[in-house]
Amino acid sequence: MTSREQILEAIKKYKPAATGLPEHLSYPTLEVDQLIGQFQQSSMLNGGKTIVIKTVEEVSSYLQVHFDKQLQVVSLIPELQGTLDITKILDPHDLEAVELAVLRGTWAAAENAAIWMPEENLVHRALPFIAQHLAVVIESKNLVRDMHAIYEKIKVDEFGYGVFIAGPSKTADIEQSLVIGAHGPRSMTVFLVST
Amino acid sequence: MKVGLFIPCYVDQFYPSAAIASLELLEKYGVEVDYPMDQTCCGQPMANSGYEHYGKDAGELFMKNFGDFEYIVAPSGSCTLHVKEHLLSHDGTGPKIYELCEFLTDVLQVSEIHASFPHRVGFHSSCHGLRGLHLAKPSEIVGKDFNKPVSLLEKINGLELVKLDRKDECCGFGGTFAVFEEGISVQMGKDRLADHLDKGVEVITAADMSCLMHLEGLLKREKSSVKIMHIAEILNGNPIHS
Amino acid sequence: MAENRTHAEAAEEFLKDEERTHWHDDTLWHVRTKRDTAAQKLPEWEVLRENASQIKEYVLSHLDELLIQFENNATANGVTVIWAKNAQEHNDHVYRILQENHVKNLVKSKSILTEECGLNHFLEAKGYDVVDTDLGERIIQFNHQVPSHIVMPAIHLKKKEIGDIFHKHLGTDAGADDPQYLTEAARLHLREKFIQANAAITGVNFGIAETGGFVVCTNEGNADMGTHLADIHIACMGIEKLIPRAADLGVYLRLLARSATGQSITNYNSHFHRPSPGKKMYIILVDNGRTEQLGREDFRNSLKCIRCGACMNTCPIYRRSSGFSYGSTVPGPIGSILSPGIDLKKHSTLPFASTLCGSCSDVCPVKINIHEQLYKWRQVIAKEGNPEPAKKWAMKLAGKVLGNPTLYNIMGKSARTALKLSPNSLIYTRFNAWGKKRDLPEVPKESFKEWYKKNRTND
């Protein structure tokens, strides 16, 4: 017998009597008009920063003030011109010098500031991790209550990869002291376009 | 109402005053109390040490003594829990056992307690009563706050209850744990005491004498003036131990 | 490490440094407090726990079907699925994959399963330099230690000690212990390793049967840095890590980080389904004693564990004895119910390293009845070979006395008399563990039963 057969055989022999699955995983407790405030707070607790804007153009002016234009910027939003065309990059190792990546988020959860970013929003899977700083633009109409609401809307296997990003790279492995910028982005700025 | 009073073995032997207070307290509320003379122990010390089978005789003896009562009351959350889980039936037939405080709050539903105790008191929440019998909401559980023993203490004149940093951390007694894991047990006890002593308590009370025996052992070794008293003694209006 | 010591002996060692004990206790209590705060923010918390438990119940009762479904879907996604009966098979597969793909440099993110299998030692013996990339894991790897906690592997070390380790291994300034500075040094060091790596090994937090994908959660982003830069991704997964549906992730991702550290979610929650073009992805499904545990009716619920570590943070014994005192890959309360199933003799003292206070069961996000299982393991251990004959003897005697009212009355009276008459030098000996630091209760002149006879009975 192969290991596979042995394992499956043992499970058949030992598994308990069949039970059912809970349905309708939804626990509506948060008011919808609190979503933006809740998101901002969650994002801050995760070590991120949220800026509520009216138009996407504001992203550009904000970033010009806060980031050095001489450094590599990858932008995947049409309103902002980057300095590096990621579609021409074949090897993700060539992203090593990226200072800022500006991406679009698909869905965001107010309860924890997690933003769903499927592979098509990233071009290279490594991008939001290897960049020194990360900015994500998301429309407030795509802001929902919690994780259950997002899982209802997305198809997790639509692309080969997808990730919930909720903040910058962080660690507390040294005496529980929070340090931002463990391996990946040293900051995460979320631009919430309120329409 | 007739009630069988179960006095755990170590309370019988070492803390008769807690047992007397429990009896008098029940009598004050008009309960007819019977104390079966042949009782010993519920068998928990053996069972919690892995020797359920050595506790079998004690368990059978318990049922011989208490099997015909409608209500059994015991001034110990821990023993009550053991009897409830391991000796009594779970199908609603046979006797029902209550820890003393929950008997007062849930069955007798006492609204007033005529006692005065003008002292600073620390309440120790014993684990088996807390999490096993649900005498209070544990701090780690999400839900509405309640605390049956504390609700009784709050009815006592002059009693000043202190607020602890860790309101329901284990004291480290744990039956034979106290002996076989002596180092941790003592450290847990010392830490628990420090929380109470920091708040300037004169008396530490609990619904379980076993936790208090452990804490008292540490207090006495340190020659502390802080006293321990079973909650029944305070509810019964006993003065502070001299 | 506590290989052959009892938990009590190992704990004694840790307790010698009282200041460190307090520091360790306070640090973990702080994490437990953060967990409480996070949980209290969700009124539905207890319902979520119940649902998480029910879903895992379903998983255990359909595990064979779900594994096959998972395998079929993952295979269709272009992922290679491999089955390993035990640690040896798991390690052999990893080695074979590395060889086949001519891997020179590999990075690894946190995986308790690979700790359980001893993968690092195995690969190091084959000449590989295994680089753990989780900061905590890298620290203990430099220090030649294993994790003392499953979520915070280096929680037993103070920043001063970490500063010394980094000075030695990374050339940071002597005496420097600022966490920001040390983390930056690790960042630069590990970035180089990420760039060089040909293969990345990760654990799996959740495998999704209906899609064949899997989820890995980190705060540092190290699993992603590794997997997206390397050509080979090997995901090592215990067979119990499955969940039936993608929607179930909503329940678990909400519970996991809140239970673990009090965060509302980990900052990176990556869903892997297909390898990037030109790259390879492997999943190794590992049994290593899990099916056996499934067969133990009283203990199978332990397989619901999602490795959040909340039971460790709340455990008053863990907090005061540290993870190493358990001498097992998974320490703390959950380790104390998992480990006896792996080696009953070696881990026979672990189920006794508890007061059965029950807080572990209360914080468990999948509602494992941990303290009840500790009680049940005690019964098994007492029957199948108790390492402490003194305890057995004492319990047998106690059982006899307490089962017989006459004997009880006589023994009670004579014990009280003996205690009253004996000088303290005879009572507080080294054989009396109670009396090392505690006094015995003052002996009353009569028992309650004697008082009752005088005051309440007419005969």
Side-chain angles (χ1 to χ4, degrees):
Chain A
M1 267 208 297
T2 63
S3 295
R4 180 184 184 276
E5 286 162 345
Q6 286 181 49
I7 292 169
L8 291 172
E9 199 62 36
I11 294 169
K12 270 200 195 75
K13 188 167 136 202
Y14 291 139
K15 67 178 176 177
T19 58
L21 273 174
E23 293 296 332
H24 311 298
L25 302 170
S26 166
Y27 317 83
T29 47
L30 201 66
E31 295 299 325
V32 174
D33 61 354
Q34 299 170 347
L35 292 185
I36 291 182
Q38 176 87 16
F39 180 91
Q40 281 180 299
Q41 211 211 345
S42 307
S43 165
M44 186 195 69
L45 290 171
N46 294 345
K49 183 172 174 182
T50 307
I51 297 163
V52 180
I53 54 175
K54 288 264 177 276
T55 64
V56 184
E57 282 66 34
E58 291 173 52
V59 174
S60 177
S61 44
Y62 178 90
L63 295 177
Q64 269 173 7
V65 176
H66 290 85
F67 287 92
D68 187 344
K69 275 174 287 186
Q70 307 303 314
L71 299 170
Q72 278 188 13
V73 176
V74 172
S75 172
L76 291 173
I77 60 166
E79 293 84 351
L80 181 77
Q81 182 72 41
T83 60
L84 180 74
D85 183 0
I86 193 174
T87 56
K88 298 225 167 69
I89 301 273
L90 297 176
D91 181 349
H93 290 83
D94 296 339
L95 299 169
E96 209 193 332
V98 172
E99 177 69 8
L100 172 68
V102 187
L103 309 176
R104 187 168 284 280
T106 303
W107 294 103
E111 64 156 329
N112 55 17
I115 302 177
W116 177 245
M117 320 267 280
E119 187 159 15
E120 68 164 352
N121 297 26
L122 312 174
V123 183
H124 279 288
R125 294 179 187 185
L127 181 61
F129 303 94
I130 202 165
Q132 294 290 330
H133 298 272
L134 182 65
V136 178
V137 180
I138 182 130
E139 309 279 330
S140 65
K141 67 173 167 40
N142 293 340
L143 180 56
V144 297
R145 201 152 33 204
D146 55 28
M147 298 298 281
H148 310 292
I150 297 186
Y151 278 112
E152 272 174 28
K153 293 177 187 299
I154 62 172
K155 202 171 167 303
V156 288
D157 58 345
E158 186 177 358
F159 301 94
Y161 172 80
V163 58
F164 278 106
I165 299 182
S169 169
K170 65 172 181 176
T171 182
D173 274 343
I174 302 175
E175 270 199 22
Q176 282 294 290
S177 307
L178 178 67
V179 178
I180 305 287
H183 305 288
R186 299 170 188 274
S187 75
M188 175 165 167
T189 312
V190 179
F191 293 96
L192 197 58
V193 190
S194 172
T195 43
Chain B
M1 183 187 295
K2 195 167 174 176
V3 157
L5 179 65
F6 170 48
I7 299 299
C9 47
Y10 67 97
V11 176
D12 174 41
Q13 294 295 331
F14 292 115
Y15 297 100
S17 62
I20 295 167
S22 304
L23 173 69
E24 290 177 348
L25 188 60
L26 288 170
E27 287 171 344
K28 269 187 203 168
Y29 286 100
V31 178
E32 195 187 327
V33 185
D34 189 6
Y35 173 77
M37 291 301 282
D38 274 350
Q39 62 178 286
T40 58
C41 163
C42 60
Q44 177 175 223
M46 287 72 83
N48 280 2
S49 305
Y51 296 94
E52 249 174 17
H53 49 295
Y54 290 153
K56 239 182 104 220
D57 289 352
E60 279 167 15
L61 181 65
F62 180 92
M63 288 311 289
K64 215 172 108 192
N65 284 312
F66 289 99
D68 294 331
F69 285 97
E70 188 189 350
Y71 291 112
I72 308 167
V73 175
S76 159
S78 188
C79 304
T80 300
L81 181 66
H82 181 78
V83 170
K84 199 175 195 168
E85 284 190 339
H86 298 279
L87 301 181
L88 302 184
S89 83
H90 295 165
D91 60 6
T93 62
K96 286 190 275 291
I97 187 161
Y98 287 86
E99 178 280 328
L100 179 68
C101 294
E102 62 173 346
F103 188 75
L104 293 174
T105 58
D106 298 4
V107 180
L108 299 182
Q109 300 184 0
V110 304
S111 52
E112 273 180 280
I113 293 175
H114 299 287
S116 130
F117 197 75
H119 301 286
R120 270 179 87 78
V121 175
F123 175 73
H124 172 69
S125 211
S126 301
C127 302
H128 289 172
L130 173 70
R131 300 195 182 84
L133 298 176
H134 310 293
L135 296 186
K137 185 192 80 68
S139 53
E140 65 268 10
I141 291 285
V142 175
K144 205 173 165 304
D145 237 339
F146 69 95
N147 191 321
K148 294 176 189 178
V150 163
S151 76
L152 293 172
L153 289 175
E154 281 167 353
K155 292 186 171 68
I156 291 183
N157 273 336
L159 190 147
E160 198 187 336
L161 205 60
V162 303
K163 196 173 173 331
L164 299 169
D165 294 340
R166 300 186 189 180
K167 66 172 183 173
D168 51 18
E169 170 111 319
C170 179
C171 68
F173 172 67
T176 50
F177 177 88
V179 176
F180 289 96
E181 287 264 9
E182 189 263 348
I184 299 272
S185 172
V186 165
Q187 190 61 51
M188 284 167 71
K190 281 162 75 174
D191 292 351
R192 208 73 308 283
L193 280 179
D195 196 357
H196 286 269
L197 298 181
D198 281 353
K199 313 297 173 298
V201 302
E202 297 162 72
V203 172
I204 300 172
T205 190
D208 255 291
M209 211 59 229
S210 51
C211 308
L212 292 176
M213 174 168 76
H214 166 64
L215 295 176
E216 182 188 39
L218 290 162
L219 283 170
K220 279 166 81 176
R221 181 62 57 94
E222 296 300 319
K223 311 249 180 291
S224 166
S225 61
V226 170
K227 305 289 179 203
I228 60 117
M229 283 174 80
H230 191 275
I231 193 166
E233 299 177 271
I234 295 178
L235 299 177
N236 191 42
N238 293 12
I240 193 166
H241 289 181
S242 52
Chain C
M1 239 92 320
E3 286 303 320
N4 296 306
R5 292 184 297 178
T6 65
H7 178 270
E9 286 164 352
E12 203 69 52
E13 194 64 35
F14 187 77
L15 287 163
K16 275 185 190 154
D17 188 342
E18 196 169 340
E19 193 232 307
R20 184 182 283 267
T21 305
H22 278 300
W23 168 78
H24 194 264
D25 171 52
D26 282 340
T27 307
L28 287 153
W29 177 258
H30 180 61
V31 182
R32 149 77 210 265
T33 312
K34 286 198 292 182
R35 173 248 169 236
D36 289 353
T37 308
Q40 301 291 350
K41 280 186 192 161
L42 301 188
E44 67 268 38
W45 182 258
E46 301 299 337
V47 185
L48 274 175
R49 287 177 66 220
E50 184 58 37
N51 285 343
S53 178
Q54 289 165 345
I55 295 167
K56 282 287 180 179
E57 188 82 39
Y58 177 91
V59 170
L60 296 183
S61 64
H62 297 81
L63 191 55
D64 47 346
E65 299 149 46
L66 292 171
L67 280 167
I68 293 169
Q69 188 189 9
F70 177 76
E71 179 189 35
N72 289 341
N73 288 326
T75 308
N77 288 339
V79 179
T80 307
V81 179
I82 300 158
W83 301 66
K85 241 181 83 59
N86 50 40
Q88 185 63 49
E89 278 190 23
H90 164 265
N91 294 347
D92 288 342
H93 282 301
V94 173
Y95 179 62
R96 179 181 52 77
I97 295 166
L98 297 178
Q99 289 281 298
E100 278 173 11
N101 291 287
H102 312 290
V103 171
K104 285 198 185 67
N105 303 309
L106 71 148
V107 288
K108 197 167 143 274
S109 65
K110 196 153 62 193
S111 154
I112 303 299
L113 175 63
T114 62
E115 290 289 342
E116 174 189 322
C117 295
L119 180 68
N120 283 18
H121 283 307
F122 175 84
L123 291 178
E124 278 155 16
K126 303 271 187 196
Y128 282 99
D129 176 24
V130 185
V131 178
D132 274 319
T133 57
D134 172 86
L135 178 60
E137 293 230 87
R138 191 61 177 154
I139 294 166
I140 56 165
Q141 193 177 29
F142 282 145
N143 210 30
H144 306 292
Q145 286 178 313
V146 294
S148 69
H149 187 291
I150 58 171
V151 173
M152 300 168 280
I155 197 74
H156 58 287
L157 292 171
K158 296 193 178 187
K159 61 183 179 187
K160 165 92 185 53
E161 295 166 307
I162 296 170
D164 292 343
I165 294 167
F166 275 23
H167 173 63
K168 190 173 153 200
H169 292 271
L170 298 178
T172 52
D173 296 341
D177 65 358
D178 173 45
Q180 184 89 43
Y181 168 76
L182 297 176
T183 303
E184 183 64 23
R187 177 187 174 101
L188 296 176
H189 157 73
L190 286 167
R191 230 172 216 246
E192 206 174 297
K193 301 289 182 188
F194 284 126
I195 297 291
Q196 292 163 351
N198 322 105
I201 298 175
T202 70
V204 168
N205 288 96
F206 306 98
I208 315 159
E210 71 173 357
T211 64
F214 59 92
V215 175
V216 181
C217 307
T218 73
N219 275 315
E220 298 181 6
N222 57 319
D224 289 280
M225 280 291 274
T227 53
H228 305 325
L229 291 171
D231 290 332
I232 311 295
H233 177 180
I234 308 171
C236 306
M237 170 177 164
I239 53 171
E240 82 284 18
K241 290 283 173 186
L242 276 185
I243 53 166
R245 313 165 291 198
D248 299 323
L249 287 167
V251 174
Y252 293 106
L253 290 184
R254 297 187 79 197
L255 286 166
L256 178 61
R258 287 182 172 98
S259 299
T261 59
Q263 296 170 244
S264 55
I265 192 162
T266 38
N267 277 0
Y268 302 105
N269 306 273
S270 304
H271 299 49
F272 295 90
H273 278 89
R274 294 182 284 281
S276 290
K279 298 191 175 189
K280 289 184 191 169
M281 198 181 276
Y282 300 83
I283 298 171
I284 309 180
L285 294 169
V286 185
D287 179 345
N288 205 37
R290 285 163 178 73
T291 51
E292 229 179 302
Q293 188 80 336
L294 188 66
R296 298 184 182 108
E297 203 185 322
D298 286 341
F299 306 113
R300 64 163 64 109
N301 270 351
S302 60
L303 294 170
K304 292 180 176 177
C305 177
I306 58 171
R307 302 289 191 269
C308 72
C311 61
M312 293 161 205
N313 308 337
T314 202
C315 179
I317 286 99
Y318 175 91
R319 278 189 261 115
R320 291 173 182 82
S321 59
S322 130
F324 295 146
S325 65
Y326 294 79
S328 57
T329 306
V330 179
I334 182 69
S336 298
I337 60 171
L338 287 171
S339 308
I342 298 163
D343 186 338
L344 187 67
K345 235 190 171 72
K346 182 180 168 196
H347 301 298
S348 68
T349 63
L350 297 188
F352 295 93
S354 163
T355 57
L356 305 181
C357 81
S359 186
C360 46
S361 305
D362 274 1
V363 297
C364 178
V366 290
K367 295 185 87 166
I368 301 170
N369 55 338
I370 303 176
H371 73 294
E372 289 170 11
Q373 294 193 34
L374 288 169
Y375 176 89
K376 285 178 172 160
W377 271 119
R378 292 180 182 190
Q379 311 304 322
V380 174
I381 289 159
K383 283 207 182 76
E384 294 179 16
N386 172 38
E388 291 167 276
K391 193 193 265 183
K392 183 173 181 165
W393 180 83
M395 286 303 131
K396 193 170 183 169
L397 181 70
K400 274 212 158 39
V401 173
L402 296 170
N404 180 324
T406 316
L407 212 52
Y408 166 83
N409 292 343
I410 296 169
M411 288 292 283
K413 197 174 178 71
S414 47
R416 275 184 286 119
T417 312
L419 275 177
K420 238 190 169 69
L421 298 178
S422 306
N424 278 353
S425 60
L426 204 70
I427 297 171
Y428 298 112
T429 67
R430 65 193 176 87
F431 299 107
N432 172 6
W434 176 275
K436 266 164 86 177
K437 291 186 177 140
R438 284 166 295 209
D439 278 7
L440 281 162
E442 199 180 313
V443 182
K445 62 180 194 304
E446 56 188 5
S447 70
F448 173 71
K449 198 176 273 186
E450 286 161 351
W451 177 91
Y452 190 85
K453 216 180 262 174
K454 276 190 217 156
N455 293 280
R456 288 293 190 278
T457 52
N458 300 322
D459 44 58

